Amino acid sequence: QVQLVESGGGLVQPGGSLRLSCATSGSIVRVDAMRWYRQAPGKQRELVATISAGGTTNYADSVKGRFTISRDNAQNAVYLQMNGLKPEDTAVYYCNADVRPRGVIAYLNYWGQGTQVTVSS
């Protein structure tokens, strides 16, 4: 019933910017922490950024100062503003969230399908 869908990925030049969005749908009561992960070919999946329900943010050192995570609690959406993009940022970016579905007393963790970000000249 709960789905997370990323959008906004694409091809961008080094130094460029991109804004990723993650929309949630389904019978959702609450969304707690929301996160962005990324995975490049041949590499482990990396936690890029986290935002708590209260808006507290954390970033991987590799993106600190360049990326900004934000959320819209009214729409249960999360965003990732990516500035100063580098070729090493190339990866599939995944949305992740702790969600309390309707009729479920516990928070469950959900993943989006991923969106490709390619940084290249």
Side-chain angles (χ1 to χ4, degrees), residues 35-76:
R35 309 168 187 88
W36 286 98
Y37 287 80
R38 68 184 181 186
Q39 187 167 25
K43 296 186 177 181
Q44 62 182 314
R45 188 167 295 188
E46 173 190 23
L47 177 61
V48 176
T50 300
I51 185 166
S52 73
T56 301
T57 59
N58 286 282
Y59 299 92
D61 288 342
S62 59
V63 307
K64 195 171 298 181
R66 300 187 297 120
F67 291 9
T68 303
I69 187 171
S70 61
R71 65 190 292 162
D72 183 342
N73 289 334
Q75 298 186 17
N76 290 323

Side-chain angles (χ1 to χ4, degrees), residues 109-121:
N109 189 255
Y110 292 86
W111 291 88
Q113 83 291 338
T115 185
Q116 177 70 49
V117 172
T118 302
V119 184
S120 176
S121 299

